[in-house]
Amino acid sequence: MYTKACDESELKEGKYEVVAVNRTLMLVVWPTGAQPRAFQGMCPHAREPLADARFDGKILTCAHHDWEFDSNGACIKGKHCTLAEYPLKIENGEVLIDTDGVSANYLN
């Protein structure tokens, strides 16, 4: 079931927003030249929050250990892993995210 995460007006291309949907921390990332996407808000490496990550419009860098993720959520610096992606749609000026059936990815 889709739930409102934020207003579309809060998003900016090349930036990300931290949101919580159904008690799940996530990032709404808007890569430059692409569409907004919703990813888990915790780094798979050490379960540190990505709320203070750096994002240059293409690469998201965890502030805790400098692991890097591309705009598809794939780790490009660090061990092989991916950020879980949540279905996202924008309707009537609202960003809606579905958390059903999606679990965050973590390394053991």
Side-chain angles (χ1 to χ4, degrees):
M1 180 166 100
Y2 282 88
T3 304
K4 181 180 177 181
C6 63
D7 290 322
E8 182 180 13
S9 63
E10 296 177 59
L11 301 181
K12 303 250 184 292
E13 187 173 359
K15 304 286 183 188
Y16 70 88
E17 282 296 319
V18 179
V19 298
V21 177
N22 297 330
R23 302 175 58 101
T24 302
L25 180 68
M26 58 186 71
L27 302 181
V28 177
V29 177
W30 190 350
T32 303
Q35 296 297 312
R37 301 173 80 166
F39 294 107
Q40 72 186 63
M42 302 293 282
C43 183
H45 167 234
R47 298 182 187 222
E48 296 285 350
L50 292 169
D52 53 357
R54 297 178 303 280
F55 183 59
D56 67 3
K58 297 199 181 288
I59 305 297
L60 182 75
T61 305
C62 178
H64 299 277
H65 298 101
D66 291 325
W67 281 36
E68 295 180 350
F69 301 88
D70 68 15
S71 59
N72 294 315
C75 186
I76 57 173
K77 181 182 173 191
K79 291 185 181 177
H80 178 72
C81 63
T82 57
L83 297 174
E85 184 170 5
Y86 298 86
L88 177 150
K89 64 183 178 179
I90 298 174
E91 290 182 349
N92 301 317
E94 296 180 336
V95 177
L96 307 171
I97 297 174
D98 185 4
T99 59
D100 291 344
V102 180
S103 297
N105 295 324
Y106 296 110
L107 298 174
N108 293 334

XYZ file of all heavy atoms in Angstrom:
840
model
N 0.836 -1.174 0.000
C 0.000 0.000 0.000
C 0.889 1.249 0.000
O 1.812 1.349 0.799
C -0.898 -0.014 1.238
C -1.805 1.180 1.303
S -3.099 0.945 2.522
C -2.414 1.887 3.857
N 0.621 2.143 -0.906
C 1.407 3.373 -1.000
C 1.006 4.344 0.114
O -0.170 4.509 0.415
C 1.203 4.034 -2.354
C 2.005 3.367 -3.449
C 1.490 2.297 -4.164
C 3.277 3.811 -3.748
C 2.232 1.692 -5.162
C 4.037 3.216 -4.745
C 3.501 2.161 -5.440
O 4.250 1.563 -6.419
N 2.021 4.958 0.704
C 1.840 5.911 1.796
C 2.603 7.182 1.460
O 3.700 7.123 0.904
C 2.389 5.316 3.121
O 1.735 4.068 3.368
C 2.165 6.243 4.287
N 2.037 8.320 1.839
C 2.701 9.594 1.561
C 4.008 9.691 2.341
O 4.055 9.467 3.544
C 1.795 10.764 1.934
C 2.436 12.109 1.637
C 1.534 13.267 2.006
C 2.245 14.585 1.753
N 1.396 15.733 2.123
N 5.074 10.051 1.614
C 6.387 10.240 2.230
C 6.695 11.719 2.411
O 7.272 12.124 3.415
C 7.471 9.587 1.372
N 6.330 12.528 1.414
C 6.566 13.970 1.454
C 5.826 14.605 0.293
O 5.223 13.910 -0.522
C 8.057 14.295 1.399
S 8.895 13.790 -0.126
N 5.885 15.912 0.205
C 5.323 16.614 -0.941
C 6.358 16.662 -2.063
O 7.563 16.780 -1.797
C 4.923 18.044 -0.562
C 3.722 18.069 0.369
O 2.804 17.239 0.190
O 3.694 18.924 1.274
N 5.898 16.587 -3.285
C 6.795 16.649 -4.431
C 7.633 17.930 -4.408
O 8.793 17.929 -4.803
C 5.990 16.572 -5.723
C 6.815 16.585 -6.974
C 5.983 16.513 -8.233
O 4.746 16.692 -8.174
O 6.577 16.266 -9.297
N 7.071 19.016 -3.903
C 7.778 20.302 -3.860
C 9.010 20.282 -2.960
O 9.874 21.146 -3.059
C 6.829 21.416 -3.402
O 6.375 21.165 -2.084
N 9.119 19.270 -2.083
C 10.277 19.137 -1.198
C 11.481 18.526 -1.909
O 12.599 18.596 -1.408
C 9.919 18.280 0.021
C 8.867 18.908 0.910
C 8.480 18.011 2.056
O 9.366 17.659 2.855
O 7.287 17.640 2.139
N 11.261 17.925 -3.079
C 12.336 17.271 -3.811
C 13.038 18.256 -4.738
O 12.410 19.131 -5.321
C 11.784 16.116 -4.649
C 11.051 15.012 -3.903
C 10.607 13.944 -4.885
C 11.896 14.428 -2.800
N 14.342 18.052 -4.881
C 15.150 18.854 -5.792
C 16.056 17.900 -6.569
O 16.705 17.018 -5.986
C 16.021 19.836 -5.017
C 15.249 20.761 -4.098
C 15.254 22.171 -4.587
C 14.579 23.144 -3.651
N 13.168 23.003 -3.519
N 16.112 18.088 -7.892
C 16.974 17.254 -8.710
C 18.424 17.408 -8.264
O 18.897 18.509 -7.996
C 16.841 17.624 -10.185
C 17.581 16.681 -11.095
C 17.308 16.935 -12.564
O 16.522 17.836 -12.902
O 17.902 16.212 -13.379
N 19.125 16.269 -8.135
C 20.519 16.277 -7.686
C 20.668 16.258 -6.175
O 21.784 16.323 -5.663
N 19.552 16.125 -5.453
C 19.564 16.112 -3.971
C 18.775 14.900 -3.481
O 18.213 14.141 -4.260
C 18.911 17.386 -3.417
C 19.511 18.674 -3.911
C 20.830 18.932 -3.273
C 21.386 20.279 -3.739
N 22.732 20.493 -3.308
N 18.732 14.733 -2.164
C 17.892 13.689 -1.576
C 17.160 14.240 -0.362
O 17.571 15.241 0.221
C 18.698 12.441 -1.203
C 19.633 12.612 -0.023
C 19.196 12.387 1.279
C 20.960 12.992 -0.211
C 20.052 12.537 2.360
C 21.824 13.146 0.857
C 21.357 12.916 2.140
O 22.210 13.074 3.204
N 16.088 13.586 0.001
C 15.315 13.904 1.196
C 15.273 12.670 2.087
O 15.156 11.552 1.585
C 13.870 14.299 0.839
C 13.697 15.694 0.321
C 14.037 16.764 1.336
O 13.678 16.621 2.523
O 14.681 17.752 0.939
N 15.377 12.882 3.369
C 15.230 11.805 4.350
C 13.762 11.749 4.740
O 13.169 12.777 5.080
C 16.099 12.064 5.595
C 15.916 10.961 6.619
C 17.565 12.224 5.208
N 13.171 10.567 4.655
C 11.768 10.395 5.014
C 11.616 9.130 5.858
O 12.499 8.269 5.869
C 10.855 10.309 3.760
C 10.926 11.599 2.944
C 11.184 9.114 2.896
N 10.501 9.038 6.537
C 10.134 7.817 7.263
C 8.734 7.433 6.819
O 7.812 8.260 6.867
C 10.186 8.030 8.761
N 8.594 6.204 6.373
C 7.307 5.687 5.932
C 7.074 4.375 6.658
O 7.924 3.481 6.611
C 7.276 5.480 4.402
C 5.963 4.863 3.966
C 7.529 6.791 3.670
N 5.953 4.274 7.318
C 5.619 3.056 8.082
C 6.773 2.658 8.998
O 7.175 1.502 9.042
C 5.243 1.913 7.138
C 4.007 2.224 6.338
O 3.125 2.949 6.798
N 3.925 1.700 5.135
N 7.317 3.634 9.686
C 8.404 3.440 10.652
C 9.690 2.935 10.009
O 10.528 2.311 10.649
C 7.951 2.531 11.790
C 6.734 3.076 12.526
C 6.206 2.122 13.565
N 7.205 1.789 14.540
C 7.291 2.320 15.755
N 6.406 3.203 16.147
N 8.231 1.951 16.586
N 9.848 3.195 8.708
C 11.032 2.779 7.977
C 11.775 4.011 7.480
O 11.200 4.822 6.742
C 10.637 1.892 6.771
O 9.905 0.757 7.258
C 11.859 1.428 6.009
N 13.046 4.148 7.870
C 13.867 5.260 7.424
C 14.313 4.994 5.996
O 14.790 3.906 5.681
C 15.095 5.417 8.330
C 16.058 6.543 7.976
C 15.416 7.901 8.224
C 17.342 6.418 8.779
N 14.152 5.999 5.133
C 14.587 5.852 3.746
C 14.987 7.193 3.171
O 14.743 8.235 3.771
C 13.516 5.167 2.902
C 12.190 5.858 2.878
S 10.916 4.898 2.012
C 10.636 3.558 3.136
N 15.629 7.122 2.017
C 16.026 8.313 1.283
C 15.255 8.351 -0.024
O 15.165 7.341 -0.720
C 17.519 8.285 0.940
C 18.523 8.178 2.074
C 19.937 8.183 1.505
C 18.358 9.294 3.077
N 14.723 9.519 -0.347
C 14.182 9.752 -1.678
C 15.277 10.503 -2.420
O 15.578 11.653 -2.112
C 12.868 10.552 -1.644
C 12.385 10.829 -3.067
C 11.805 9.799 -0.856
N 15.910 9.811 -3.346
C 17.071 10.323 -4.075
C 16.617 10.713 -5.481
O 15.946 9.936 -6.159
C 18.170 9.233 -4.158
C 19.356 9.707 -4.959
C 18.593 8.804 -2.759
N 16.999 11.927 -5.912
C 16.656 12.355 -7.261
C 17.949 12.571 -8.036
O 18.532 13.655 -8.026
C 15.835 13.626 -7.236
C 15.240 14.017 -8.565
C 15.512 13.468 -9.782
C 14.296 15.043 -8.802
N 14.789 14.090 -10.764
C 14.027 15.074 -10.189
C 13.646 15.954 -7.980
C 13.150 15.971 -10.760
C 12.773 16.840 -8.552
C 12.517 16.847 -9.922
N 18.431 11.530 -8.710
C 19.668 11.654 -9.486
C 19.510 12.664 -10.620
O 18.436 12.793 -11.209
C 19.884 10.252 -10.050
C 19.048 9.350 -9.202
C 17.883 10.181 -8.770
N 20.572 13.352 -10.929
C 20.572 14.317 -12.023
C 20.214 13.624 -13.329
O 20.792 12.594 -13.672
C 21.958 14.981 -12.136
O 22.269 15.596 -10.886
C 21.981 16.039 -13.233
N 19.209 14.162 -14.038
C 18.800 13.619 -15.319
C 17.959 12.359 -15.241
O 17.732 11.710 -16.258
N 17.490 11.994 -14.069
C 16.702 10.768 -13.900
C 15.448 11.074 -13.078
O 15.138 12.237 -12.815
C 17.550 9.689 -13.220
N 14.765 10.041 -12.665
C 13.556 10.176 -11.861
C 13.856 9.893 -10.391
O 14.786 9.135 -10.087
C 12.488 9.189 -12.354
C 12.020 9.455 -13.769
C 11.337 10.803 -13.889
O 10.477 11.148 -13.098
N 11.750 11.579 -14.887
N 13.084 10.465 -9.462
C 13.282 10.168 -8.040
C 13.095 8.679 -7.750
O 12.279 8.006 -8.379
C 12.197 11.000 -7.346
C 11.881 12.091 -8.310
C 12.034 11.474 -9.670
N 13.886 8.207 -6.783
C 13.839 6.809 -6.355
C 13.912 6.771 -4.834
O 14.487 7.665 -4.223
C 15.006 6.033 -6.950
C 14.991 6.066 -8.477
C 16.203 5.455 -9.057
N 16.067 3.987 -9.039
C 16.853 3.182 -9.716
N 17.834 3.654 -10.446
N 16.696 1.881 -9.665
N 13.363 5.717 -4.243
C 13.375 5.559 -2.791
C 14.243 4.367 -2.414
O 14.037 3.256 -2.905
C 11.958 5.367 -2.259
N 15.219 4.608 -1.533
C 16.132 3.563 -1.076
C 16.133 3.479 0.451
O 15.787 4.446 1.140
C 17.566 3.856 -1.537
C 17.765 3.798 -3.017
C 17.949 4.956 -3.755
C 17.776 2.589 -3.696
C 18.135 4.910 -5.125
C 17.960 2.533 -5.065
C 18.139 3.701 -5.780
N 16.588 2.346 0.954
C 16.714 2.182 2.401
C 17.579 3.306 2.958
O 18.502 3.780 2.309
C 17.290 0.820 2.755
C 18.772 0.645 2.442
C 19.243 -0.771 2.682
O 18.776 -1.704 2.023
N 20.166 -0.951 3.614
N 17.293 3.708 4.186
C 17.986 4.828 4.795
C 19.137 4.450 5.707
O 19.708 5.308 6.374
N 19.482 3.165 5.715
C 20.590 2.694 6.533
C 21.619 2.025 5.630
O 21.268 1.278 4.714
C 20.100 1.683 7.574
C 19.032 2.223 8.508
S 19.604 3.509 9.618
C 20.442 2.526 10.829
N 22.895 2.285 5.883
C 23.962 1.689 5.089
C 24.011 0.180 5.335
O 23.979 -0.253 6.495
C 25.296 2.337 5.455
S 26.685 1.742 4.472
N 24.088 -0.632 4.287
C 24.158 -2.079 4.464
C 25.413 -2.534 5.195
O 25.430 -3.594 5.803
C 24.180 -2.634 3.033
C 23.763 -1.535 2.155
C 24.060 -0.253 2.876
N 26.452 -1.723 5.171
C 27.745 -2.073 5.746
C 27.704 -2.168 7.268
O 27.991 -3.207 7.845
C 28.783 -1.048 5.281
C 30.070 -1.092 6.029
N 30.611 0.021 6.625
C 30.923 -2.101 6.282
C 31.741 -0.304 7.209
N 31.952 -1.591 7.015
N 27.347 -1.078 7.927
C 27.400 -1.064 9.389
C 26.099 -0.580 10.019
O 26.081 -0.207 11.182
C 28.560 -0.184 9.852
N 25.029 -0.589 9.219
C 23.713 -0.154 9.700
C 23.737 1.265 10.269
O 23.031 1.586 11.217
C 23.143 -1.137 10.716
C 22.916 -2.505 10.122
C 22.304 -3.468 11.101
N 22.277 -4.792 10.512
C 21.248 -5.612 10.620
N 20.189 -5.260 11.277
N 21.308 -6.802 10.057
N 24.568 2.090 9.681
C 24.625 3.503 10.058
C 23.625 4.264 9.191
O 23.444 3.943 8.012
C 26.031 4.070 9.834
C 27.108 3.454 10.685
C 27.063 3.926 12.133
O 26.315 4.868 12.445
O 27.789 3.338 12.950
N 22.980 5.309 9.745
C 22.018 6.056 8.941
C 22.691 6.804 7.793
O 23.793 7.336 7.945
C 21.383 7.020 9.938
C 22.295 7.057 11.110
C 23.079 5.790 11.116
N 22.009 6.818 6.665
C 22.486 7.549 5.500
C 21.930 8.979 5.475
O 22.111 9.698 4.500
C 22.089 6.812 4.214
C 22.780 5.472 3.994
C 22.120 4.706 2.851
C 24.267 5.679 3.726
N 21.300 9.385 6.553
C 20.679 10.711 6.622
C 21.686 11.841 6.437
O 21.322 12.927 6.006
C 19.941 10.875 7.951
N 22.939 11.596 6.743
C 23.963 12.632 6.591
C 24.951 12.287 5.475
O 26.079 12.768 5.452
C 24.687 12.879 7.909
C 25.256 11.618 8.536
O 25.056 10.518 7.978
O 25.897 11.727 9.589
N 24.494 11.464 4.525
C 25.340 11.093 3.387
C 25.592 12.301 2.491
O 24.881 13.305 2.546
C 24.665 9.980 2.583
N 26.614 12.189 1.658
C 26.894 13.199 0.641
C 26.352 12.671 -0.686
O 26.446 11.479 -0.965
C 28.398 13.453 0.544
C 28.984 14.025 1.828
C 30.494 14.234 1.756
N 31.292 13.058 1.433
C 31.641 12.110 2.303
N 31.250 12.183 3.568
N 32.387 11.084 1.926
N 25.802 13.567 -1.504
C 25.247 13.171 -2.793
C 25.594 14.239 -3.813
O 25.293 15.420 -3.620
C 23.730 12.997 -2.682
C 23.066 12.507 -3.940
C 23.436 11.301 -4.507
C 22.070 13.242 -4.550
C 22.825 10.832 -5.665
C 21.449 12.788 -5.699
C 21.824 11.576 -6.256
N 26.255 13.834 -4.895
C 26.687 14.789 -5.918
C 25.777 14.787 -7.146
O 26.140 15.314 -8.192
C 28.136 14.531 -6.323
C 28.335 13.200 -7.064
O 27.342 12.483 -7.328
O 29.494 12.889 -7.384
N 24.613 14.194 -7.004
C 23.682 14.092 -8.130
C 23.755 12.755 -8.829
O 22.864 12.395 -9.589
N 24.830 12.002 -8.572
C 24.990 10.672 -9.178
C 25.441 9.631 -8.160
O 25.016 8.485 -8.210
C 25.986 10.722 -10.323
C 25.520 11.610 -11.469
C 26.267 11.295 -12.735
C 25.828 12.197 -13.862
N 24.527 11.948 -14.388
N 26.327 10.013 -7.238
C 26.906 9.077 -6.271
C 26.514 9.489 -4.851
O 26.699 10.643 -4.454
C 28.451 9.043 -6.378
C 28.904 8.730 -7.803
C 29.054 8.070 -5.365
C 28.503 7.380 -8.315
N 25.991 8.516 -4.089
C 25.653 8.716 -2.685
C 26.791 8.119 -1.860
O 27.144 6.949 -2.047
C 24.338 7.999 -2.362
C 23.816 8.150 -0.948
C 23.216 9.538 -0.759
C 22.771 7.079 -0.661
N 27.378 8.916 -0.959
C 28.519 8.471 -0.162
C 28.144 8.466 1.310
O 27.769 9.504 1.871
C 29.740 9.385 -0.379
O 30.031 9.439 -1.780
C 30.952 8.876 0.376
N 28.255 7.305 1.948
C 27.984 7.184 3.379
C 29.021 8.001 4.144
O 30.228 7.848 3.926
C 28.042 5.720 3.795
S 27.775 5.455 5.571
N 28.574 8.845 5.030
C 29.470 9.715 5.797
C 30.261 8.957 6.857
O 31.261 9.466 7.352
C 28.667 10.824 6.459
N 29.851 7.749 7.193
C 30.494 7.013 8.282
C 31.746 6.253 7.835
O 32.733 6.204 8.563
C 29.489 6.067 8.940
C 28.332 6.807 9.527
N 28.378 7.394 10.767
C 27.124 7.108 9.015
C 27.234 8.001 11.001
N 26.456 7.848 9.965
N 31.706 5.623 6.643
C 32.851 4.832 6.187
C 33.155 5.030 4.710
O 33.895 4.244 4.120
C 32.622 3.342 6.473
C 32.485 3.047 7.929
N 31.275 2.845 8.524
C 33.414 2.945 8.907
C 31.454 2.627 9.824
N 32.738 2.683 10.075
N 32.561 6.058 4.099
C 32.819 6.430 2.704
C 32.456 5.366 1.666
O 32.996 5.381 0.568
C 34.279 6.873 2.507
C 34.560 8.190 3.198
O 33.645 9.046 3.239
O 35.681 8.364 3.693
N 31.550 4.453 2.000
C 31.062 3.540 0.975
C 30.246 4.358 -0.004
O 29.548 5.306 0.381
C 30.215 2.437 1.593
C 31.025 1.350 2.231
C 32.200 1.484 2.908
C 30.716 -0.026 2.262
N 32.642 0.269 3.353
C 31.743 -0.678 2.972
C 29.663 -0.778 1.766
C 31.743 -2.056 3.186
C 29.666 -2.145 1.997
C 30.706 -2.771 2.691
N 30.303 4.010 -1.296
C 29.610 4.759 -2.332
C 28.598 3.877 -3.049
O 28.850 2.703 -3.316
C 30.608 5.314 -3.350
C 31.543 6.340 -2.748
C 32.541 6.898 -3.753
O 32.653 6.360 -4.884
O 33.218 7.874 -3.402
N 27.463 4.509 -3.404
C 26.378 3.830 -4.097
C 25.987 4.650 -5.314
O 25.885 5.880 -5.237
C 25.169 3.661 -3.169
C 25.497 2.876 -1.930
C 25.978 3.515 -0.801
C 25.358 1.503 -1.907
C 26.311 2.799 0.345
C 25.693 0.769 -0.775
C 26.170 1.426 0.357
N 25.775 3.963 -6.459
C 25.375 4.682 -7.666
C 23.869 4.961 -7.632
O 23.177 4.604 -6.673
C 25.810 3.931 -8.926
C 25.091 2.613 -9.154
O 24.033 2.344 -8.525
O 25.581 1.830 -9.987
N 23.363 5.589 -8.681
C 21.957 6.000 -8.688
C 20.986 4.829 -8.809
O 19.783 5.015 -8.709
C 21.709 7.012 -9.810
O 22.036 6.454 -11.058
N 21.511 3.609 -8.997
C 20.683 2.395 -8.975
C 20.724 1.710 -7.617
O 20.123 0.661 -7.433
C 21.142 1.418 -10.053
C 20.902 1.950 -11.437
O 19.833 2.474 -11.720
N 21.887 1.839 -12.301
N 21.500 2.260 -6.667
C 21.617 1.681 -5.341
C 22.722 0.655 -5.209
O 22.904 0.062 -4.156
N 23.498 0.414 -6.274
C 24.585 -0.569 -6.238
C 25.820 0.034 -5.581
O 26.186 1.180 -5.869
C 24.927 -1.035 -7.640
N 26.457 -0.738 -4.723
C 27.680 -0.284 -4.065
C 28.822 -0.303 -5.073
O 29.082 -1.325 -5.709
C 28.006 -1.181 -2.882
S 29.415 -0.586 -1.911
N 29.493 0.828 -5.228
C 30.617 0.925 -6.162
C 31.937 1.166 -5.436
O 32.992 1.151 -6.054
C 30.370 2.010 -7.228
C 30.111 3.360 -6.582
C 29.222 1.607 -8.146
C 30.020 4.519 -7.559
N 31.868 1.390 -4.120
C 33.077 1.481 -3.292
C 32.720 0.855 -1.954
O 31.966 1.416 -1.179
C 33.523 2.929 -3.100
C 34.782 3.053 -2.262
C 35.170 4.507 -2.056
C 36.333 4.605 -1.084
N 36.550 6.004 -0.688
N 33.266 -0.314 -1.711
C 32.925 -1.124 -0.544
C 32.624 -2.531 -1.035
O 32.840 -2.857 -2.199
N 32.120 -3.386 -0.164
C 31.789 -4.754 -0.557
C 30.556 -4.785 -1.446
O 29.721 -3.882 -1.408
C 31.541 -5.611 0.687
C 32.804 -5.863 1.479
C 32.529 -6.814 2.620
C 33.805 -7.039 3.416
N 33.576 -7.903 4.575
N 30.447 -5.848 -2.226
C 29.320 -6.012 -3.136
C 28.013 -6.072 -2.343
O 27.819 -6.955 -1.501
C 29.495 -7.297 -3.962
C 28.353 -7.540 -4.887
N 28.135 -6.789 -6.012
C 27.361 -8.445 -4.821
C 27.048 -7.219 -6.608
N 26.559 -8.237 -5.912
N 27.142 -5.100 -2.603
C 25.825 -5.061 -1.991
C 24.997 -4.017 -2.738
O 25.518 -3.312 -3.600
C 25.900 -4.717 -0.499
S 26.580 -3.083 -0.128
N 23.724 -3.944 -2.418
C 22.861 -2.921 -2.997
C 21.931 -2.374 -1.922
O 21.619 -3.065 -0.946
C 21.992 -3.461 -4.149
O 21.224 -4.549 -3.661
C 22.821 -3.895 -5.329
N 21.509 -1.151 -2.114
C 20.486 -0.573 -1.259
C 19.130 -1.109 -1.715
O 18.869 -1.177 -2.920
C 20.480 0.959 -1.387
C 21.738 1.689 -0.950
C 21.617 3.170 -1.281
C 21.999 1.489 0.535
N 18.299 -1.516 -0.766
C 16.950 -1.950 -1.124
C 16.194 -0.755 -1.682
O 16.300 0.359 -1.173
C 16.234 -2.515 0.103
N 15.441 -0.999 -2.755
C 14.651 0.068 -3.364
C 13.172 -0.179 -3.113
O 12.686 -1.306 -3.213
C 14.910 0.156 -4.868
C 14.190 1.312 -5.511
C 14.592 1.577 -6.942
O 15.386 0.793 -7.502
O 14.120 2.580 -7.507
N 12.471 0.890 -2.790
C 11.039 0.841 -2.530
C 10.292 1.442 -3.720
O 10.733 2.451 -4.272
C 10.696 1.636 -1.266
C 11.340 1.078 -0.028
C 12.633 1.447 0.330
C 10.668 0.168 0.783
C 13.238 0.922 1.471
C 11.267 -0.362 1.920
C 12.545 0.023 2.256
O 13.137 -0.500 3.372
N 9.159 0.851 -4.108
C 8.364 1.436 -5.181
C 7.942 2.861 -4.811
O 7.512 3.115 -3.679
C 7.150 0.510 -5.283
C 7.614 -0.795 -4.706
C 8.583 -0.410 -3.624
N 8.077 3.778 -5.766
C 7.757 5.187 -5.550
C 6.918 5.681 -6.716
O 7.173 5.319 -7.863
C 9.053 5.995 -5.464
C 8.967 7.507 -5.308
C 10.165 8.028 -4.537
C 8.869 8.222 -6.642
N 5.924 6.477 -6.411
C 5.155 7.152 -7.456
C 4.782 8.540 -6.949
O 4.754 8.788 -5.739
C 3.922 6.352 -7.875
C 2.871 6.164 -6.791
C 1.738 5.295 -7.313
C 0.677 5.044 -6.240
N -0.430 4.237 -6.752
N 4.549 9.429 -7.896
C 4.162 10.796 -7.562
C 2.777 11.034 -8.137
O 2.550 10.832 -9.339
C 5.180 11.814 -8.113
C 6.543 11.554 -7.477
C 4.707 13.238 -7.847
C 7.676 12.397 -8.025
N 1.844 11.413 -7.250
C 0.467 11.674 -7.658
C -0.038 12.916 -6.944
O 0.143 13.045 -5.718
C -0.451 10.494 -7.318
C -0.226 9.265 -8.142
C -1.190 8.138 -7.806
O -1.912 8.221 -6.788
O -1.214 7.148 -8.559
N -0.663 13.792 -7.683
C -1.283 14.992 -7.104
C -0.334 15.762 -6.201
O -0.722 16.236 -5.133
C -2.561 14.624 -6.342
C -3.578 13.935 -7.231
O -3.798 14.344 -8.360
N -4.177 12.866 -6.728
N 0.929 15.851 -6.598
C 1.899 16.622 -5.832
C 2.425 15.931 -4.593
O 3.116 16.546 -3.782
N 2.124 14.636 -4.433
C 2.597 13.880 -3.272
C 3.519 12.747 -3.711
O 3.261 12.088 -4.725
C 1.425 13.285 -2.487
C 0.523 14.327 -1.875
C -0.623 13.716 -1.093
O -1.015 12.551 -1.358
O -1.134 14.407 -0.204
N 4.577 12.527 -2.944
C 5.486 11.406 -3.170
C 4.967 10.248 -2.331
O 4.872 10.359 -1.099
C 6.934 11.764 -2.774
C 7.846 10.566 -2.951
C 7.424 12.956 -3.581
N 4.622 9.160 -2.994
C 4.059 7.984 -2.334
C 5.032 6.822 -2.459
O 5.589 6.579 -3.531
C 2.721 7.620 -2.973
C 1.690 8.756 -3.057
C 0.508 8.341 -3.907
C 1.251 9.177 -1.668
N 5.213 6.091 -1.349
C 6.144 4.958 -1.315
C 5.430 3.748 -0.730
O 4.672 3.862 0.232
C 7.392 5.305 -0.480
C 8.147 6.462 -1.139
C 8.309 4.091 -0.328
C 9.316 6.983 -0.324
N 5.719 2.583 -1.310
C 5.151 1.320 -0.842
C 6.247 0.517 -0.139
O 7.256 0.173 -0.758
C 4.599 0.545 -2.033
C 3.874 -0.730 -1.642
O 3.724 -1.009 -0.433
O 3.448 -1.461 -2.562
N 6.066 0.213 1.121
C 7.061 -0.559 1.880
C 6.726 -2.053 1.939
O 7.540 -2.838 2.401
C 7.177 -0.026 3.324
O 5.907 -0.111 3.968
C 7.667 1.404 3.345
N 5.544 -2.437 1.468
C 5.130 -3.841 1.568
C 6.068 -4.757 0.797
O 6.370 -4.537 -0.373
C 3.703 -4.023 1.029
C 2.650 -3.381 1.906
O 2.960 -3.051 3.072
O 1.516 -3.208 1.427
N 6.553 -5.783 1.470
C 7.365 -6.809 0.838
C 8.812 -6.418 0.566
O 9.540 -7.188 -0.055
N 9.234 -5.243 1.008
C 10.614 -4.815 0.791
C 11.325 -4.772 2.138
O 10.830 -4.183 3.089
C 10.692 -3.424 0.129
C 12.141 -3.005 -0.090
C 9.932 -3.413 -1.187
N 12.483 -5.401 2.208
C 13.295 -5.382 3.428
C 14.651 -4.766 3.107
O 15.187 -4.964 2.019
C 13.517 -6.802 3.952
O 12.290 -7.393 4.308
N 15.186 -4.041 4.070
C 16.511 -3.435 3.900
C 17.542 -4.544 3.730
O 17.406 -5.647 4.280
C 16.836 -2.570 5.096
N 18.581 -4.259 2.966
C 19.696 -5.199 2.758
C 20.827 -4.854 3.717
O 21.213 -3.691 3.803
C 20.204 -5.114 1.320
C 19.186 -5.562 0.314
O 18.427 -6.487 0.559
N 19.172 -4.912 -0.834
N 21.357 -5.863 4.402
C 22.483 -5.668 5.310
C 23.501 -6.777 5.113
O 23.139 -7.928 4.838
C 22.033 -5.658 6.769
C 21.126 -4.507 7.100
C 19.779 -4.716 7.383
C 21.604 -3.198 7.102
C 18.943 -3.663 7.679
C 20.763 -2.134 7.393
C 19.433 -2.378 7.676
O 18.611 -1.308 7.961
N 24.773 -6.436 5.243
C 25.833 -7.434 5.212
C 25.955 -8.029 6.617
O 25.754 -7.348 7.607
C 27.157 -6.790 4.807
C 27.181 -6.167 3.407
C 28.485 -5.431 3.190
C 26.988 -7.242 2.355
N 26.324 -9.269 6.674
C 26.488 -9.915 8.010
C 27.809 -9.587 8.626
O 28.752 -9.262 8.075
C 26.337 -11.435 7.877
C 24.911 -11.788 7.501
O 23.986 -11.052 7.796
N 24.747 -12.901 6.851
